[in-house]
């Protein structure tokens, strides 16, 4: 039977991308933390694509770094390709994307965890939660170890009652043939948590020596790579290219001929899959008129010949997968090393969580990552760090930290999950953010580093560096305001060269920089800046000046909305007695129990009239309660 | 739904009385109204509780729109405890509507939600706490009615056009988004000139709508009313009585030179738009005509149906069929010819329609028109004071939103011309799409995400 195995402040179940961030944040905040994983060799494993970042996701990595998390630093150490995407578009959607050496990524993360104070990494499968007085106070493992804690964070990814499906073949399994976690699912259900069944999938991996790269297009990394972490200043990582090819008519024919063997269509899969990452069979059925689909071949690391076949996620039987692969130009003689598969798993309905990611039914129990219905390493890590922070703060008797929608994509992600829920695996997109121009890749530190510092995840030294940067950017903007530019010969020559209208009267450098054709570099030619200004700072100055009009507009919206966000709703409010709320609003408000009027206004089925009624009721309620003392 | 922006609405019953009042409340009330007001007084410095004479001027054209009296009540000594400006215009419909339209055009002031002035008064402590429930009732009842009006409009022609416009914009938005969120995907890359063209087309369509609004074809105020009934029950004479008695505004629609097909009347201050009046005059066999496509759609389009029955005859099978068809619709039953002995079985009619929607009438003796008026008032306005919020304002609201959406599209076009990146241009396009959405009450975010994934083939 069970034995007492140790006391901790916080226990994190699962050492994927959510679990690693949660455990590191909690331990770094001084909470004694246990990180438990089914298999120690799977810490920070990437079961699907060997890459991190891209639009919205890359923003999240920057935000995690700005808060003092690990993902940014770790990918900076282990990337084998770095590309800045969307450089032809506005600064808000510039997005860094890295190809990872997925093995190195794991090793570095594991090492960091092992070296972190207050953090214990252990192999073991959590099977049950210990509940006392309605609160979660520990866990029991398969081997009978009982660990006690004041908060538990569950980050089980796709392991909960995981089931792998390839064609007619189906078996209980976590990702990449790992042991699934069966009993924990039941334990969560018994606590009254509602679970749903989601599905995701991964493409086959192939041997690089059997690819004919001459039939594909090379996709190199950036010559001067940028980094995710504000701490990384330099890297001499060697970069490897990716390769682009396309499906052929033959590919489409093979898939069409074998649709009856595809579990997606035969009914073998019951879980809801994400519409944004469909399998190749799905794409060919839904977009039948598209003659070919892109396939990217991505190396999985420096010390391996395995390639990830992006665009070919599938749950077709193994033999069909091989035929599909070999119908693709460049892959005619390819050897398949791992078969693609679909995986079904249990997820928690995320509207059962507070914005702190603590469950409403069991105080002390937090969930984060794919278990909350999201998809993607970055989305998982973003939730992980917040769950870790809030678990540690709970233990320390401090109120939770909640990132606002206007502060970061992490805020958008969590608010969407806990307020609206999701009917399929949730992926972040920049279009989910209403203040996209404020949530830029470049200003994640300005948005979140003060928070990271306040909660103790950003060091004094880093914070000082940050405040210096902020001050210097502000100073430079002030300086440009005061620099007079006169309609003189050298100015005319420059403006003529840029192809912008000549100057009629004296202006200042700041106004000149607002012209679309003029860049900071041009202005510098007229009035050099201080030598201590870094590239990073110059970029910030340019963006803040050039897009000031649009930025101010969004800021105004934020301020207006802030009044609603700040209007708190007491948690003991009984919506059933609020007369005249619509039936649907009553139901949904009672289920979600929003913390603020702002959050309430985003709940489905709650109309502006319901919000007005709620405001009036709250006024009445507060006065009555105040009168009662 | 902002807590502290500036709102406006017509606060007198529309179409009635010698003057009409627009109430504006919120932090920008004084300053925003000042920008349209030409007067000897300096509004910004004017004392509270003072009245000023002057003119409302369209700043875009310099044209004088209306002669008004303007009252300033600075918070907290006002109904809402905020800064309040009241603009008194001449009575009637046109003047007050034009002024309100103008105030809403820039977007600095928005149209008040149902019951919003009262709500603010309450939240700002101007109304006794014991009245909380009454305030809640008011918001709910007004919202429900506004909603039912919006619904009706959502089936109409205007809403079809707005939906088509929105669909075009959401396709454009999805295309922009896919370029942003999937930069390496092989979809056609979005160019500024493409955005410019699509926005230009949308702008042109809004211009057409606004023009028809000005001509009164689509956005014209008034309760769309159909008169139906068997031949010889007195529809035609009812129509004539209504038109003559009420100084009808008769519109000539270009292209239909043959005759007039719509007529406007105001019945005790309630504007009615009578449908297919030519049809009523032309043919005696209306029951047959109901089978005709045009009449059927007129019936469907109607906000109000006046069913005329001959009280001097017993119910005809055609009457019963018609009653059947109209069940569940907003019908006022007019029992005409009540100057003659009543033969008709009123109890039978009451099985289908509520008794307070049945009016005894004699067109010949000009009896019962007043009662018709009060029945319509009850059906559409519920109470005297609220009449402002709905019929007119919903149209003013539409015009304001169309103007705002148009401005957003113009902003987008201008931004593409000076080389602003597409993700920033997107902000204006999206704003236009949301403004159009407000017209028909569609909710926003999720559908864009859906559109992206149904329009483009994306995957990992």
């Amino acid at each position: 039977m069970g034995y007492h195995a140790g006391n901790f402040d916080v226990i994190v179940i699962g050492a994927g991308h959510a679990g690693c961030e949660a455990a590191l944040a909690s331990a770094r905040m001084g909470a004694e933390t246990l990180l438990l994983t089914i298999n120690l060799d799977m810490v920070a494993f990437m079961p699907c694509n060997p890459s991190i970042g891209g639009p919205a996701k890359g923003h999240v990595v920057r935000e995690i770094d700005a808060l003092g998390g690990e993902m940014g630093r770790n990918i900076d150490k282990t990337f084998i390709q770095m590309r800045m995407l969307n450089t032809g578009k506005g600064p808000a959607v510039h997005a860094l994307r890295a190809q990872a050496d997925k093995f190195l990524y794991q090793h570095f993360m594991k090492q960091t965890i092992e070296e972190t104070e207050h953090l214990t990494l252990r192999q073991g499968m959590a099977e049950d939660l210990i509940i006392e007085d309605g609160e979660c106070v520990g866990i029991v493992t398969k081997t009978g170890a009982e660990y006690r804690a004041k908060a538990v964070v569950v980050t089980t990814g796709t392991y909960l009652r995981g089931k792998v499906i390839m064609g007619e073949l189906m078996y209980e399994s976590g990702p990449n043939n790992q042991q699934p976690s069966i009993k924990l699912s039941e334990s969560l259900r018994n606590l009254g948590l509602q679970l749903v069944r989601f599905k995701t999938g991964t493409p086959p991996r192939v041997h690089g020596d059997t690819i004919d790269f001459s039939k594909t297009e090379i996709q190199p990394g950036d010559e001067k790579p940028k980094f995710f972490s504000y701490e990384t200043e330099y890297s001499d990582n060697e970069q490897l290219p990716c390769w682009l090819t396309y499906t052929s008519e033959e590919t489409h024919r093979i898939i069409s001929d074998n649709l009856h063997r595809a579990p997606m269509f035969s009914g073998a899969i019951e879980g809801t899959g994400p519409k944004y990452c469909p399998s190749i069979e799905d794409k060919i059925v839904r977009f039948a008129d598209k003659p070919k689909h892109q396939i990217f071949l991505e190396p999985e690391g420096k010390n391996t010949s395995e390639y990830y076949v992006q665009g070919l996620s599938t749950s077709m039987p193994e033999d069909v997968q091989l035929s599909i692969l070999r119908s693709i130009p460049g892959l005619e003689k390819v050897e398949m090393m791992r078969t693609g598969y679909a995986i079904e798993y249990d997820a928690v309905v995320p509207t059962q969580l507070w914005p702190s990611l603590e469950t409403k039914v069991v105080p002390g129990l937090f969930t984060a990552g794919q278990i909350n219905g999201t998809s993607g390493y970055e989305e998982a890590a973003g939730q992980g760090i917040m769950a870790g922070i809030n678990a540690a703060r709970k233990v320390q008797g401090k109120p939770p930290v909640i990132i606002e929608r206007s502060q970061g994509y992490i805020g958008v992600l969590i608010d969407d999950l806990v307020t609206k829920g999701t009917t399929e695996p949730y992926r972040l997109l920049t279009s989910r953010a209403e203040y996209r121009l404020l949530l830029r890749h470049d200003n994640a530190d300005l948005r979140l580093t003060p928070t990271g510092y306040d909660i103790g995840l950003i060091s004094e030294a880093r914070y000082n560096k940050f405040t210096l940067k902020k001050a210097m950017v502000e100073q430079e903007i002030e300086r440009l305001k005061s620099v007079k530019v006169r309609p003189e010969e050298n100015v005319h020559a420059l403006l003529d060269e840029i192809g912008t209208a000549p100057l009629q009267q004296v202006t200042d450098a700041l106004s000149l920089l607002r012209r679309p054709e003029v860049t900071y570099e041009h202005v510098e030619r007229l009035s050099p800046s201080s030598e201590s200004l870094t590239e990073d700072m110059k970029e910030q100055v340019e963006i803040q000046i050039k897009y000031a009009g649009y930025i101010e507009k969004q800021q105004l919206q934020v301020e207006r909305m802030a009044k609603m966000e700040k209007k708190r709703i007491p948690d003991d409010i009984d919506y059933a007695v609020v007369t005249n709320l619509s039936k649907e609003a009553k139901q949904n408000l009672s289920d979600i129990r929003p913390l603020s009027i702002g959050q309430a206004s985003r709940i489905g089925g709650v109309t502006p009239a319901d919000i007005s009624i709620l405001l009036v009721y709250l006024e009445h309620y507060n006065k009555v309660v105040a009168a009662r003392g | 739904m902002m807590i502290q922006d500036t709102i406006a609405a017509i606060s007198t019953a529309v179409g009635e009385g010698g003057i009409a009042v627009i109430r504006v409340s919120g932090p920008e009330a004084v300053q925003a109204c000042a920008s349209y007001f030409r007067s000897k007084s300096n509004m910004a410095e004017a004392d509270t509780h003072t009245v000023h004479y002057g003119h409302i001027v369209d700043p875009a054209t310099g044209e004088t729109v209306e002669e008004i009296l303007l009252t300033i009540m600075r918070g907290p000594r006002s109904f809402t405890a905020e800064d309040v400006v009241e603009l008194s215009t001449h009575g009637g419909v046109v003047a007050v509507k034009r002024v309100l339209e103008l105030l809403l055009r820039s977007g600095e002031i928005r149209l008040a939600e149902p019951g919003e002035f009262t709500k603010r008064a309450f939240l700002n402590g101007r109304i006794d706490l014991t009245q909380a429930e009454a305030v809640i009732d008011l918001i709910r009842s007004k919202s429900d009615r506004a909603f039912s009006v919006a619904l009706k409009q959502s089936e109409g022609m205007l809403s079809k056009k707005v939906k088509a416009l929105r669909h075009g914009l959401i396709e454009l938005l999805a295309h922009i988004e896919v370029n942003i969120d999937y930069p390496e995907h092989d979809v056609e890359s979005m160019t500024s000139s493409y955005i410019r063209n699509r926005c230009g087309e949308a702008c042109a369509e809004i211009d057409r709508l606004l023009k028809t609004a000005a001509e009164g074809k689509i956005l014209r105020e008034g309760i769309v009313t159909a008169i139906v009934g068997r031949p010889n029950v007195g529809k035609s004479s009812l129509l004539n009585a209504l038109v003559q008695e009420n100084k009808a505004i008769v519109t000539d629609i270009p292209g239909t030179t043959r005759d007039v097909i719509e007529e406007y009347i105001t019945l005790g201050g309630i504007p009615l738009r009578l449908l297919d009046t030519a049809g009523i005059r032309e043919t005696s066999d209306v029951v047959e005509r109901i089978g005709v496509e045009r009449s059927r759609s007129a019936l469907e389009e109607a906000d109000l149906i006046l069913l005329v029955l001959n009280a001097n005859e017993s119910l005809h099978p055609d009457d019963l069929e018609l009653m059947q068809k109209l069940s569940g619709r907003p019908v006022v039953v007019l029992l005409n010819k009540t100057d003659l002995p009543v033969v008709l079985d009123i109890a039978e009619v009451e099985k289908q329609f509520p008794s307070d929607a049945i009016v005894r009438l004699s067109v010949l003796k000009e009896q019962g028109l007043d009662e018709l008026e009060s029945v319509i008032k009850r059906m559409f306005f519920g109470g005297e004071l609220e009449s402002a919020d709905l019929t007119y304002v919903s149209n003013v609201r539409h015009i304001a939103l169309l103007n705002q959406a148009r401005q957003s599209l113009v902003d987008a076009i201008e931004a593409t011309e000076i080389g602003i990146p597409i993700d920033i241009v997107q902000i204006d396009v999206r704003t236009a799409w949301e403004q159009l959405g407000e017209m028909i009450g569609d909710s926003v975010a999720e559908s864009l995400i859906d559109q992206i994934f149904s329009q483009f083939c994306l995957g990992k």
Side-chain angles (χ1 to χ4, degrees), chain A residues 48 55 83 85-86 89-93 97 200-201 219 246 275-278 283 286-287 290 292-294 296 308 310-313 420 427 429-432 436-437 516 547 550 553-554 560-561 563-564 567 579-582 607-613 615-617 619-620 623-624, chain B residues 1-6 28 107-108 113-114 119 122-125 129-130 132-133 135-141 143 176-177 179-187 411 415 418-428 430-431 445-446 448-450 452-460:
Chain A
C48 199
R83 277 186 81 182
L85 306 175
N86 278 338
K89 304 185 185 84
V93 297
R97 203 266 323 276
T200 185
Q219 304 274 306
Y246 293 90
K275 60 174 167 261
Y276 48 75
C277 93
K283 288 194 252 184
R286 278 179 53 212
F287 294 88
K290 203 169 149 93
K292 58 179 190 176
H293 295 271
Q294 284 176 324
F296 288 94
Y308 175 87
Q310 191 214 307
L312 213 67
S313 174
K420 296 179 191 150
R427 181 203 154 126
L429 298 161
T430 65
S431 46
R432 294 196 195 265
R436 181 156 69 188
L437 194 50
Y547 302 100
Y550 287 95
K553 241 198 248 176
Q554 291 212 327
R560 288 190 159 180
M561 202 57 204
K563 287 172 186 150
M564 313 237 311
K567 203 114 193 162
T579 51
N580 267 310
L581 277 179
S582 75
T607 64
D610 292 317
I611 293 296
S612 291
I613 288 166
L615 276 170
V616 171
Y617 179 79
E619 197 69 15
H620 173 78
K623 283 181 190 156
V624 168
Chain B
M1 229 316 288
M2 300 300 178
I3 293 179
Q4 265 176 1
D5 47 2
T6 301
E28 272 100 54
E108 196 174 10
E113 286 163 29
K119 180 186 93 184
F122 175 81
L123 290 179
N124 293 330
L129 196 60
T130 55
E133 209 129 293
V135 174
I136 287 176
D137 283 343
L138 178 74
I139 293 170
R140 172 52 67 200
S141 69
S143 301
I176 297 174
E177 294 301 344
N179 266 258
I180 294 169
D181 277 327
Y182 292 85
E184 292 174 314
H185 201 75
D186 55 344
V187 294
D411 289 347
I418 58 168
I420 299 287
I422 60 165
D423 59 292
I424 297 181
V425 175
Q426 183 269 1
I427 297 173
D428 289 322
R430 184 170 176 143
T431 305
E446 200 55 34
L448 174 59
I449 308 282
D450 289 342
I452 296 172
F453 294 106
S454 62
Q455 198 171 332
F456 299 98
C457 175
L458 306 161
K460 69 175 177 186

Side-chain angles (χ1 to χ4, degrees), chain A residues 396-428:
Chain A
Q396 293 161 357
K398 294 174 187 159
V401 170
I402 291 156
I403 309 288
E404 301 289 335
R405 295 182 74 89
S406 55
Q407 270 187 302
Y409 278 95
I410 294 177
V412 173
L413 164 71
I414 294 176
D415 181 66
D416 276 352
L417 289 174
V418 304
T419 307
K420 296 179 191 150
T422 183
T423 52
E424 62 179 327
Y426 176 104
R427 181 203 154 126
L428 255 185

Side-chain angles (χ1 to χ4, degrees), chain B residues 152-167 205 209 218 297 300 440:
Chain B
K152 214 167 288 166
Q153 277 151 353
S154 78
E155 289 150 15
M157 211 41 206
L158 171 64
S159 132
K160 265 186 207 149
K161 296 217 162 164
V162 171
K163 275 183 187 154
L165 258 173
R166 290 192 88 216
H167 188 71
E205 178 62 22
L209 285 177
I218 289 179
S297 81
E300 276 164 15
I440 50 177

Side-chain angles (χ1 to χ4, degrees), chain B residues 47-97:
Chain B
D47 286 339
T48 184
H49 294 76
T50 52
V51 181
H52 307 266
Y53 168 79
H55 293 87
I56 289 291
V57 176
D58 185 340
T61 61
E63 178 202 357
T64 299
V65 174
E66 172 72 350
E67 179 187 26
I68 66 159
L69 282 178
L70 183 151
T71 313
I72 296 181
M73 284 153 284
R74 296 187 189 272
R77 287 179 56 212
S78 72
F79 174 57
T80 56
E82 300 172 335
D83 282 357
V84 169
V85 173
E86 288 183 354
L87 298 87
S88 308
T89 72
H90 290 102
V93 178
V94 180
V96 67
K97 221 187 92 182

Side-chain angles (χ1 to χ4, degrees), chain A residues 304-470:
Chain A
T304 174
S305 296
E306 256 187 287
Y307 272 75
Y308 175 87
V309 187
Q310 191 214 307
L312 213 67
S313 174
T314 180
S315 55
M316 282 288 196
E318 195 168 82
D319 55 313
V320 180
Q321 290 194 26
L322 190 60
S323 311
I324 291 172
L325 282 170
R326 290 186 174 166
S327 69
I328 293 169
L331 304 183
E332 292 85 351
K333 296 187 174 143
V334 90
E335 284 301 325
M336 182 164 73
M337 294 178 74
R338 296 182 208 232
T339 316
Y341 59 87
I343 183 165
E344 276 187 354
Y345 55 96
D346 285 349
V348 167
V349 173
T351 50
Q352 300 171 102
L353 306 174
W354 297 114
S356 62
L357 297 178
E358 187 171 10
T359 60
K360 292 169 188 168
V361 285
V362 187
L365 179 65
F366 293 73
T367 59
Q370 219 153 352
I371 188 177
N372 287 348
T374 57
S375 149
Y377 313 142
E378 304 84 349
E379 286 89 339
Q383 291 169 67
I385 189 169
M386 296 318 298
I389 289 169
N390 288 329
R393 284 176 73 86
K394 185 182 172 89
V395 169
Q396 293 161 357
K398 294 174 187 159
V401 170
I402 291 156
I403 309 288
E404 301 289 335
R405 295 182 74 89
S406 55
Q407 270 187 302
Y409 278 95
I410 294 177
V412 173
L413 164 71
I414 294 176
D415 181 66
D416 276 352
L417 289 174
V418 304
T419 307
K420 296 179 191 150
T422 183
T423 52
E424 62 179 327
Y426 176 104
R427 181 203 154 126
L428 255 185
L429 298 161
T430 65
S431 46
R432 294 196 195 265
E434 57 274 56
Y435 312 117
R436 181 156 69 188
L437 194 50
L438 303 182
L439 306 185
R440 301 188 307 271
H441 192 268
D442 59 85
N443 69 353
D445 56 343
L446 292 169
R447 294 185 273 122
L448 294 171
T449 290
T451 307
Y453 175 71
D454 287 345
I455 55 187
L457 287 176
I458 294 287
S459 70
E460 202 68 39
R462 180 168 168 186
Y463 186 67
N464 288 341
K465 221 176 125 191
F466 160 79
T467 47
L468 180 70
K469 171 186 168 183
K470 200 174 157 209

Side-chain angles (χ1 to χ4, degrees), chain B residues 171-196:
Chain B
E171 275 182 353
L172 177 63
L173 283 169
H175 201 153
I176 297 174
E177 294 301 344
V178 92
N179 266 258
I180 294 169
D181 277 327
Y182 292 85
E184 292 174 314
H185 201 75
D186 55 344
V187 294
E188 192 189 342
S189 71
M190 179 52 67
T191 60
S192 288
S193 67
Y194 184 80
I195 298 178
R196 188 154 58 235

